[in-house]
Amino acid sequence: MPSDYPLAAEGIGKSFGSLDVLKSASMWAEPGRISTLMGRNGSGKTTLLRIAVGELRPDYGALHFGGRSADRHSLPKLARAGLMFVPQRGICAPHFTVRSHFRAMASAYDLGDPAPAIDAARLEAFLDEPVRVLSGGERSRVSFGLVHYRRPTVLVADEPLAGLAPKDRDPLFRVFRDLAEAGCAVVTSGHDAIDLLRLSDVIIWSVAGTTHHLGSPREALEHAQFRREYLGPGVRLD
Ligand SMILES: Nc1ncnc2c1ncn2[C@@H]1O[C@H](COP(=O)(O)OP(=O)(O)OP(=O)(O)O)[C@@H](O)[C@H]1O
Ligand SMILES: [Mg+2]
């Protein structure tokens, strides 16, 4: 039952004007696992994630968080209850220093020493820089350093690999895996098929306004229609 998961959105519909983006789409976050939404550009992945975390209202469908059902979610409320949402643009305020982001997080959630998170995201050199002077990939490291520090129970990260060089993805993968091993339910999205198939435990395909839960990355790779319509012929794991 989706309502048993820490975060779920079920049978979601959403239109923007005459554009029916979602007709019956579902996603759920499983504790200890990394679930990844894949699908073509404009298929509604970001829309579904924003609805699930309460940033956008659905036209219809059911939402669940921590065993409770609701017609709508409030992101600030969910955040206080342990959810973290990292949109594609990240979670940093450009004019504040990296250090002040960690301080704000510490006082909002009563957290301890940020040093291990700063170290894991390799942020020592930037601590006193305002985020606006950092490169896109460095900003992304700040966002995921903050995730590491906060240690959410549910993490929803939209396209976390976008703009990250292959070598710079490893620390991010470690943060995701480390969180999942500690029981966090992680949901992500993106187009870097090989990396995401390697990172994930569960693949959800977003297509034609709906979603198909394909199972493990290996099962997804064996799904003929997913291969044909999304991955293309060149993608393999070995
Ligand atoms: N606030 C909005 N107002 C109007 N149209 C929107 C809005 N948000 C999304 N859309 C439209 O809904 C469709 C789905 O957008 P969405 O961002 O969810 O796709 P996506 O699957 O995340 O795509 P991508 O892989 O490019 O990130 C697109 O056609 C987009 O233009
Ligand atoms: Mg998107």
Side-chain angles (χ1 to χ4, degrees), residues 160-206:
L161 300 183
L164 277 188
K167 271 296 247 185
D168 290 323
R169 294 175 182 185
D170 291 350
L172 180 66
F173 285 0
R174 276 198 292 277
V175 169
F176 279 35
R177 187 45 65 195
D178 184 51
L179 279 173
E181 277 170 12
C184 177
V186 180
V187 180
T188 176
S189 76
H191 300 286
D192 308 80
I194 293 176
D195 276 349
L196 286 169
L197 288 166
R198 286 208 179 103
L199 171 74
S200 309
D201 301 304
V202 176
I203 302 298
I204 305 167
W205 181 23
S206 162

Side-chain angles (χ1 to χ4, degrees), residues 15-17 19 21-22 39-48 50 56 88 158-159 189-191 206:
S15 302
F16 294 107
L19 181 67
V21 177
L22 301 177
R40 295 181 65 167
N41 294 122
S43 61
K45 303 177 298 298
T46 298
T47 303
L48 181 59
R50 291 181 65 210
L56 189 68
Q88 202 182 336
D158 195 11
E159 297 220 29
S189 76
H191 300 286
S206 162

